[in-house]
Amino acid sequence: MSADLLRAPGVQPRKRLTILGSTGSVGRSTLDLVGRNAGLYEIEALTAYENVALLADQARTHRARLAVIGDPARYEALKAALAGSGVEAAAGPAALVEAASRPSDWVMAAIVGSAGLGPTLAAVTRGATVALANKECLVCAGDLVMKAVARHGATLLPVDSEHNAIFQVFDFAQPESVDRLILTASGGPFRRLSLGEMRDVTPAQAVAHPNWSMGAKISVDSATLMNKGLELIEASHLFPVPEERIEILVHPQSVVHSLVAYVDGSVLAQLGPADMRTPIAYTLAWPERMRTPCPRLDLAALTTLSFEAPDPVRFPALSLTRHALQSGGAAPTILNAANEAAVAGFLAGRIGFLDIARVVERALEQVPRHPVDTLDAVQAADQAARAAANRLIAELT
Ligand code: NAD
Ligand code: MG
């Protein structure tokens, strides 16, 4: 009998978690899973940008050690909301980095946008296991982040459903056996609209995704297909497959979350419900698996699984992102920041839906491309691109 089997059954040590962006869609789904498995986990830190009430409520419910609010002006409000709870309160960008730097076994990086880069890098730099939802940090600083992952022995587990699917079926022992990656896209709410119809869509229509419930920014990105372009860049950093062998296919049912095609003609896919708790659970339990309350796929009831090539004319974000990836250097950083500014401009009603890709394209033409091999250089390129995009938005308004 092996020593393992002879060992007396003991209490499993609880896994210590940090959740960056706990008040968002991914953050709340993560805490939902944690809450259903009380006893397996303890919470080191939770962070949010402005929702003090929800952050304090989460911190009390899950007995977090630390709660950080990104907006420094909300520090007093957070302190008051946590009074008597024993939860430490902190605020501001440096405190977000400090939260990610504190020892924990697992970090969920679920801040939206390049604002998540500093804290995510801090977690990577201490060699943590990082469940990565914050795709923008790989888009704006992919080389920097992946070098830090290698240098510090961190583990990156992709949360984005497509990358999580590929991660589950990719043969890392023989990467040369992979012929291509196929990223699936739902096509978003405007898949069937003409360019003329897309011109007048409202923010409310753009955030109403047909299959997934997500934060506002990623929902708009899904409507422009910029999300899939960002995911192309994300995939090129996560998997050893060159850009020209990463394809994008529209699959409106969102059942097949992505596929890996092998040189022998085999194609392996991961299927699942359109519920982010499935990929989040994969990263939370990794390398094991955990039970989730997600709906189960009823394969017999699936009458159609369809796939079609995306339309590059109505969705120019796809070629913008592919070109930015091919150019490399600061181009993806500029693209990402300009897109964040343009999406904010669209959500605020300042520009139209089709202006988003125009602003990104013009910013890519205007902003000088300096090397982005340090965090400071990435942040400088990000700021320059935001400034250019905001000028372009002001011209359009
Ligand atoms: P969300 O808008 O619902 O939540 C974002 C979180 O980030 C919130 O907790 C917010 O307080 C925090 N935040 C926002 N700005 C911040 C700042 N400047 N500083 C610090 N914190 C800040 O977004 P989401 O939908 O949960 O998405 C989070 C990330 O996960 C994004 O990068 C998104 O692309 C990615 N992702 C989301 C989904 C999904 O289903 N929602 C799927 C795949 C990938
Ligand atoms: Mg995705």
Side-chain angles (χ1 to χ4, degrees):
M1 198 177 266
S2 83
D4 268 1
L5 289 176
L6 286 173
R7 207 165 50 203
V11 181
Q12 284 269 332
R14 297 204 295 176
K15 207 167 175 174
R16 203 193 293 187
L17 316 178
T18 295
I19 303 172
L20 307 169
S22 63
T23 56
S25 167
V26 171
R28 281 181 277 122
S29 293
T30 308
L31 282 176
D32 176 79
L33 292 170
V34 170
R36 290 167 193 270
N37 293 278
L40 288 185
Y41 306 108
E42 58 187 41
I43 303 286
E44 179 62 33
L46 299 177
T47 82
Y49 185 66
E50 55 186 3
N51 193 340
V52 166
L54 180 55
L55 176 64
D57 185 50
Q58 291 177 334
R60 283 177 182 274
T61 303
H62 296 279
R63 299 167 186 271
R65 293 199 178 84
L66 170 69
V68 178
I69 195 83
D71 179 0
R74 295 177 198 252
Y75 175 62
E76 290 303 332
L78 180 63
K79 236 173 92 177
L82 288 173
S85 68
V87 182
E88 191 185 333
L96 292 171
V97 170
E98 144 77 9
S101 307
R102 286 199 183 187
S104 66
D105 300 306
W106 186 90
V107 178
M108 167 54 80
I111 292 175
V112 61
S114 62
L117 176 59
T120 303
L121 260 182
V124 164
T125 304
R126 68 172 171 81
T129 295
V130 178
L132 186 77
N134 178 210
K135 68 190 82 183
E136 293 90 349
C137 77
L138 275 190
V139 176
C140 75
D143 292 340
L144 194 70
V145 172
M146 295 314 290
K147 270 188 201 152
V149 167
R151 190 178 322 126
H152 300 286
T155 302
L156 271 195
L157 301 172
V159 171
D160 213 348
S161 56
E162 297 75 4
H163 307 73
N164 186 269
I166 293 170
F167 190 81
Q168 294 195 41
V169 294
F170 193 99
D171 188 349
F172 287 95
Q174 330 176 51
E176 66 288 349
S177 68
V178 171
D179 184 40
R180 62 219 142 89
L181 305 183
I182 302 157
L183 291 172
T184 52
S186 69
F190 308 140
R191 183 169 61 93
R192 292 265 177 252
L193 295 197
S194 68
L195 267 178
E197 289 166 328
M198 276 196 230
R199 189 172 306 127
D200 299 321
V201 298
T202 63
Q205 289 171 311
V207 298
H209 195 279
N211 305 342
W212 298 93
S213 158
M214 311 183 284
K217 193 265 179 180
I218 182 175
S219 297
V220 175
D221 285 345
S222 298
T224 57
L225 289 202
M226 182 63 81
N227 183 49
K228 216 45 56 178
L230 302 180
E231 291 183 357
L232 164 72
I233 300 177
E234 182 185 13
S236 77
H237 289 293
L238 289 172
F239 306 107
V241 178
E243 162 273 318
E244 64 275 13
R245 291 200 276 120
I246 309 178
E247 287 175 20
I248 293 169
L249 272 186
V250 173
H251 165 51
Q253 297 82 19
S254 296
V255 169
V256 177
H257 294 306
S258 277
L259 312 93
V260 177
Y262 286 87
V263 289
D264 61 4
S266 299
V267 179
L268 302 193
Q270 184 260 2
L271 284 67
D275 186 326
M276 284 304 291
R277 290 176 300 179
T278 292
I280 293 169
Y282 179 87
T283 66
L284 188 55
W286 183 89
E288 294 162 14
R289 290 199 185 249
M290 66 193 282
R291 189 160 287 281
T292 72
C294 301
R296 307 289 127 165
L297 275 188
D298 181 353
L299 289 170
L302 289 174
T303 48
T304 323
L305 289 182
S306 62
F307 300 88
E308 64 197 40
D311 177 357
V313 177
R314 290 181 303 130
F315 298 102
L318 288 175
S319 47
L320 283 175
T321 40
R322 203 174 274 281
H323 287 144
L325 178 56
Q326 287 162 347
S327 306
T333 318
I334 295 165
L335 171 131
N336 180 67
N339 180 58
E340 286 189 31
V343 170
F346 169 69
L347 285 172
R350 298 185 63 206
I351 58 172
F353 182 74
L354 296 178
D355 292 328
I356 297 172
R358 290 193 191 115
V359 166
V360 173
E361 185 174 14
R362 304 260 321 266
L364 277 163
E365 289 159 8
Q366 291 180 4
V367 180
R369 299 183 185 185
H370 302 301
V372 284
D373 36 20
T374 63
L375 182 56
D376 284 350
V378 169
Q379 283 166 346
D382 180 287
Q383 290 305 317
R386 267 169 218 276
N390 284 325
R391 278 194 301 276
L392 292 160
I393 291 167
E395 281 167 28
L396 288 165
T397 319

